[in-house]
């Protein structure tokens, strides 16, 4: 069994991935093609792309592997209702038509979609296989990591039953050790606070994490005393009297509101100090639990390395604390740690099940997460010519020198290069870039370009060899999943105290646009081997400014996925206040564009 197609779908962040002889050839989220953020639908576009990148038709795939076992999820739904009946009848009745009409018969649904996509008759389709949800997470973390032995910790909202699970990886083997089951969930605890502070569940958790430094952990003791019983080994139980997610249509209830001084904030209403304090409090408790779980796992198996996956593993603040205070020598986080990565994990789990041989150790099986589609310079030029778009072209050296000079002069630049990233972070191929030294750049990029909340921090990209000069970090962080403090030598003394969002106006370092209000940053290191062009740009910027750091944020606006095609990039460029767009070797000046033009029609088709 040499060629495997992994799929995640029907909940959120649908995706596909293709393995050939155990190597990751391609992976992509459906949202990037449909332009529907967190699209849960069957990932037909992502599958077409992955097959095309691998040079395969569906008929050439040896097995299709799904990242979930729907019968186990249905069992959880039934048992949860029976354990709480008659409470929860409304949510049970709402869920039943979907389950009885579709999800319970997932094999039929998958075969129907695959047949429609490929034109194959159902009896000619590749065989279907299923992994458990946390098994897929664990496989995506361990098998894609550079370690031949590691502890693996998976934490999310819920899979079938598991919400937290521990595994031990050795060569090609991945052994399940223990799990914490629904309804007791660290991910759902965090989502409950996401909901109560007025953000959308499964969409706004990263906003809650970004809001936390503006508050104080004044509610942390209430969380520990009333909401969650935390044991010394990090295992926990929630007091479900405060939550509605198991049986109702909401995350929290009136008892939760009384405990935290009021009802949920109305979405888009003004943020108050209460929401900031709630965010900080649940963040502190989350970090405490993650640290205790990892410490207990280390004591249990004594591994030097730790791999992380599941939605909670995207909490880069907790990851940074685990790196600093935890017992493991090295930590590796799957860059597509959420459900999208389940597609990759399902394929990897199946590969090593059917090919139980020694696993080759690679420095980066994820190829720096550059696993999506790309357009070469000729294709990009054809796009520009066809749409009568004004541009200038440069050779390799002149391109990065020109771009660095524009950035040093205060321009904001859309940077579109190579293969699209897999996972939620833009890592230098579908990025918006800016000068981190500019005190006004954070607000400008948030409000005028990203069109999002002003409190949201921006991440720095730094050359790998310079990371310790700017941050208290002594290792690579290629996936932007570790938070570190700014180096003391780059900090500025605080001249006066401020509270809440007023703290935004107080510069905290010589790189104010990437320094969060607590003096931290979510660091991406860039190596010459991993991304030569982006590394050269950073180096050229350093030659001009003495600073080897740039703002790197995802190439999208609020509510939209990261751009995929040149059409997407140009449309986003024209609809925002970006100054320049660099498409491959071609540079577009906003002042030379026809501002009356609408976005060009999307021309991307993988059929």
């Amino acid at each position: 069994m040499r060629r495997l197609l992994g799929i995640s779908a029907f909940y959120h962040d649908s995706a596909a991935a293709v393995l050939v002889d155990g190597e990751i050839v391609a992976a992509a989220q459906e949202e990037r093609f449909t332009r529907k953020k967190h699209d849960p639908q069957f990932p037909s576009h992502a599958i077409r792309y992955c097959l095309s990148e691998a040079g395969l038709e569906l008929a050439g795939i040896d097995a299709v592997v799904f990242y979930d076992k729907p019968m186990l999820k249905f069992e959880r739904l039934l048992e949860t209702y029976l354990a709480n009946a008659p409470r929860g009848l409304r949510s049970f009745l709402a869920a039943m038509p979907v389950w009885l009409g579709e999800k319970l018969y997932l094999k039929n649904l998958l075969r129907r979609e695959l047949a429609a996509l490929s034109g194959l008759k159902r009896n000619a389709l590749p065989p279907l296989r299923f992994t458990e949800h946390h098994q897929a997470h664990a496989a995506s973390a361990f098998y894609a990591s550079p370690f031949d032995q590691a502890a693996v910790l998976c934490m999310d909202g819920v899979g079938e039953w598991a919400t937290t699970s521990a595994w031990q990886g050795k060569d090609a083997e991945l052994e399940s050790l223990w799990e914490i089951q629904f309804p007791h969930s660290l991910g759902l605890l965090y989502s409950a606070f996401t909901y109560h502070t007025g953000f959308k569940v499964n969409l706004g958790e990263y906003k809650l994490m970004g809001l936390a430094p503006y508050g104080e952990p004044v509610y942390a003791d209430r969380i520990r005393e009333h909401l969650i019983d935390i044991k010394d080994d990090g295992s926990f139980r929630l007091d479900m009297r405060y939550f509605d997610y198991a049986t109702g249509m909401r995350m929290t209830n009136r008892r939760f509101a009384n405990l935290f001084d009021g009802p949920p904030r109305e979405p888009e209403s003004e943020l108050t100090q209460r929401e900031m304090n709630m965010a900080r409090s649940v963040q502190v408790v989350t970090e405490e639990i993650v640290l205790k779980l990892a410490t207990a796992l280390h004591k249990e198996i004594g591994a030097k390395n730790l791999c992380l996956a599941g939605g909670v593993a995207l909490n880069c603040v907790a990851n940074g604390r685990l790196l600093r205070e935890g017992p493991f020598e090295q930590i590796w986080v799957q860059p597509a740690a959420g459900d999208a990565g389940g597609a990759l994990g399902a394929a990897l789990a199946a590969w090593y099940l059917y090919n139980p041989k020694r696993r080759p150790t690679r420095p980066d099986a994820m190829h720096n997460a550059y696993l999506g589609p790309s357009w070469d310079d000729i294709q990009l030029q054809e796009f520009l010519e066809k749409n009568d778009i004004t541009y200038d072209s440069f050779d390799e050296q002149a391109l990065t020198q020109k771009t660095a000079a524009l950035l040093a002069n205060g321009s904001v630049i859309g940077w579109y290069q190579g293969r699209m990233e897999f996972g939620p972070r833009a890592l230098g191929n579908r990025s918006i870039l800016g000068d981190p030294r500019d005190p006004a750049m954070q607000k400008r990029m948030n409000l005028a370009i990203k069109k999002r909340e002003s409190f949201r921090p921006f991440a720095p990209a730094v050359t790998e060899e310079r990371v310790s000069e700017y941050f208290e970090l002594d290792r690579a962080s290629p996936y932007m999943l570790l938070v570190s403090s700014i180096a003391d030598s780059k900090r500025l003394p605080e001249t006066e105290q401020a509270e809440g969002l007023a703290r935004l106006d107080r510069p905290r370092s010589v790189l104010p646009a990437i320094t969060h209000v607590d003096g931290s940053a979510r660091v991406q290191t860039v190596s010459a081997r991993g991304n030569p062009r982006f590394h050269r740009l950073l180096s050229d910027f350093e030659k001009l400014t003495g600073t080897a750091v740039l703002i790197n944020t995802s190439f999208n606006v609020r509510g939209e996925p990261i751009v995929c095609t040149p059409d997407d990039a140009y449309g986003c460029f024209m609809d925002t206040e970006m100054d320049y767009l660099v498409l491959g070797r071609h540079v577009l000046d906003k002042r030379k564009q026809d501002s009356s033009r609408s976005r060009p029609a999307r021309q991307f088709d993988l059929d």
Side-chain angles (χ1 to χ4, degrees):
M1 191 166 287
R2 297 180 52 234
R3 299 168 294 269
L4 296 170
L5 170 65
I7 296 175
S8 63
F10 307 128
Y11 296 98
H12 55 86
D13 293 302
S14 293
V18 164
L19 299 187
V20 176
D21 293 331
E23 295 292 331
I24 305 168
V25 175
Q29 294 121 285
E30 184 71 1
E31 66 165 21
R32 306 292 171 84
F33 305 98
T34 63
R35 312 309 300 157
K36 298 175 183 176
K37 196 160 188 177
H38 301 291
D39 194 341
Q41 299 303 312
F42 181 79
S44 56
H45 298 85
I47 291 171
R48 288 191 186 99
Y49 155 68
C50 289
L51 291 173
S52 174
E53 186 69 33
L56 295 170
E57 301 288 342
L58 188 63
I61 291 292
D62 296 314
V64 177
V65 194
F66 193 73
Y67 82 131
D68 231 13
K69 290 193 174 179
M71 286 301 295
L72 289 178
K73 278 201 170 180
F74 188 63
E75 173 190 280
R76 189 238 304 162
L77 182 72
L78 288 176
E79 288 196 20
T80 300
Y81 172 68
L82 292 173
N84 293 277
R87 193 161 58 96
L89 179 61
R90 183 181 170 199
S91 63
F92 179 76
L93 293 176
M96 277 303 97
V98 177
W99 274 97
L100 294 176
E102 192 170 278
K103 290 185 179 179
L104 195 57
Y105 301 100
L106 190 62
K107 280 189 178 181
N108 289 335
L109 175 60
L110 289 171
R111 288 192 178 107
R112 185 169 69 244
E113 293 283 4
L114 290 167
L117 178 147
S118 65
L120 295 173
K121 293 183 178 180
R122 293 199 185 191
N123 60 4
L125 291 171
L128 281 174
R129 301 288 184 263
F130 296 82
T131 65
E132 291 191 18
H133 188 93
H134 270 234
Q135 180 187 11
H137 276 320
S140 78
F142 176 60
Y143 291 131
S145 80
F147 309 137
D148 56 6
Q149 296 190 33
V152 184
L153 188 58
C154 302
M155 302 166 287
D156 63 3
V158 62
E160 295 87 2
W161 279 102
T163 67
T164 298
S165 63
W167 306 70
Q168 183 173 16
K170 290 184 178 181
D171 294 329
E173 296 182 2
L174 190 56
E175 177 189 359
S176 174
L177 300 176
W178 48 261
E179 65 182 39
I180 298 171
Q181 293 193 341
F182 183 86
H184 309 290
S185 168
L186 182 57
L188 292 175
L189 172 69
Y190 206 86
S191 291
F193 279 80
T194 301
Y195 165 81
H196 210 80
T197 51
F199 303 117
K200 291 183 178 179
V201 172
N202 292 328
L203 295 172
E205 283 77 6
Y206 58 95
K207 297 182 183 181
L208 191 72
M209 182 178 65
L211 186 64
Y214 293 94
E216 299 296 331
V218 297
Y219 295 115
D221 285 342
R222 292 189 207 181
I223 295 172
R224 298 184 191 100
E225 291 170 9
H226 297 277
L227 297 189
I228 186 166
D229 178 21
I230 309 168
K231 305 301 183 185
D232 289 341
D233 63 358
S235 60
F236 55 85
R237 289 185 65 83
L238 298 181
D239 187 337
M240 295 308 297
R241 293 177 300 170
Y242 292 90
F243 303 94
D244 266 7
Y245 62 77
T247 57
M249 308 295 286
R250 301 171 302 174
M251 292 299 298
T252 62
N253 57 29
R254 187 177 300 173
R255 185 178 280 110
F256 188 101
N258 291 338
L259 184 63
F260 294 103
D261 304 326
R265 179 180 76 99
E266 288 295 322
E268 306 302 324
S269 65
E270 183 179 356
L271 283 163
T272 70
Q273 194 63 45
R274 183 188 74 135
E275 286 80 49
M276 298 173 200
N277 292 341
M278 289 183 71
R280 179 68 179 278
S281 300
V282 74
Q283 178 65 36
V284 166
V285 173
T286 298
E287 293 170 22
E288 174 187 334
I289 293 170
V290 170
L291 193 55
K292 285 186 173 183
L293 285 168
T295 301
L297 182 55
H298 181 265
K299 288 180 180 178
E300 182 177 351
I301 65 174
K304 296 180 180 179
N305 307 311
L306 176 66
C307 300
L308 297 172
V312 177
L314 293 172
N315 192 310
C316 50
V317 180
N319 297 344
R321 185 174 174 191
L322 183 56
L323 179 64
R324 293 189 302 274
E325 302 177 32
F328 291 95
E329 294 179 11
Q330 297 188 78
I331 296 173
W332 192 88
V333 186
Q334 165 56 242
D339 274 14
L344 177 60
L348 285 166
W351 168 260
Y352 285 102
L353 177 65
Y354 291 109
N355 299 276
K357 54 190 176 184
R358 184 176 177 84
R359 183 171 66 98
T361 302
R362 314 170 185 86
D364 184 9
M366 288 294 295
H367 305 287
N368 286 92
Y370 305 133
L371 295 168
S374 66
W375 282 257
D376 63 31
D377 285 317
I378 294 175
Q379 292 171 313
L380 291 171
Q381 188 168 12
E382 288 174 351
F383 161 77
L384 295 168
E385 295 289 347
K386 183 174 183 178
N387 287 284
D388 195 26
I389 295 170
T390 302
Y391 67 94
D392 295 301
S393 298
F394 298 85
D395 63 29
E396 190 69 33
Q397 183 176 0
L399 176 75
T400 54
Q401 291 174 344
K402 169 74 172 178
T403 307
L406 293 172
L407 288 162
N409 287 328
S411 295
V412 176
I413 294 179
W415 179 255
Y416 183 100
Q417 310 291 325
R419 294 183 72 177
M420 182 178 68
E421 298 90 343
F422 181 52
R425 309 294 184 213
L427 300 171
N429 280 7
R430 301 289 185 275
S431 294
I432 300 174
L433 307 177
D435 186 345
R437 303 169 302 157
D438 184 347
M441 189 60 75
Q442 181 182 3
K443 279 191 176 180
R444 180 189 170 197
M445 289 181 71
N446 266 329
L447 299 177
I449 295 169
K450 297 286 285 187
K451 301 180 181 179
R452 67 185 195 180
E453 301 91 344
S454 63
F455 70 84
R456 301 269 296 280
F458 285 108
V462 58
T463 54
E464 186 175 273
E465 58 270 26
R466 294 282 190 268
V467 61
S468 296
E469 296 178 22
Y470 296 92
F471 307 99
E472 293 180 1
L473 188 65
D474 62 356
R475 64 196 67 200
S477 175
Y479 298 121
M480 206 184 281
L481 285 169
L482 295 173
V483 162
S484 169
S485 294
I486 301 292
D488 286 342
S489 62
K490 305 299 180 184
R491 287 176 175 262
L492 297 175
E494 287 201 31
T495 56
E496 53 184 300
Q497 295 295 319
E499 293 186 353
L501 296 183
R503 298 176 69 187
L504 264 175
D505 300 321
R506 304 290 188 270
R508 295 159 297 279
S509 83
V510 297
L511 303 174
I514 55 88
T515 305
H516 208 5
V517 294
D518 60 354
S520 70
R522 176 164 47 91
V523 180
Q524 179 201 0
T525 57
V526 181
S527 70
R529 178 179 179 181
N531 193 327
R533 183 175 285 179
F534 193 33
H535 185 273
R536 191 179 305 112
L537 174 62
L538 285 159
S539 298
D540 286 342
F541 186 76
E542 182 184 18
K543 291 174 185 176
L544 288 175
T545 66
T547 299
V549 182
L550 287 171
I551 296 171
N552 177 17
T553 188
S554 56
F555 199 153
N556 67 322
V557 296
R558 184 183 183 190
E560 289 191 0
I562 295 173
V563 300
C564 176
T565 69
D567 316 58
D568 301 332
Y570 185 77
C572 187
F573 168 62
M574 292 298 292
D575 286 353
T576 65
E577 295 184 25
M578 274 183 270
D579 301 298
Y580 293 86
L581 171 61
V582 182
L583 285 173
R585 295 191 298 105
H586 313 297
V587 178
L588 286 63
D589 185 336
K590 175 67 69 64
R591 297 167 300 181
K592 297 179 181 179
Q593 306 305 311
D594 182 354
S595 61
S596 67
R597 292 181 53 178
S598 61
R599 295 189 181 202
R602 297 187 87 239
Q603 299 163 359
F604 181 48
D605 188 358
L606 282 172
D607 286 323

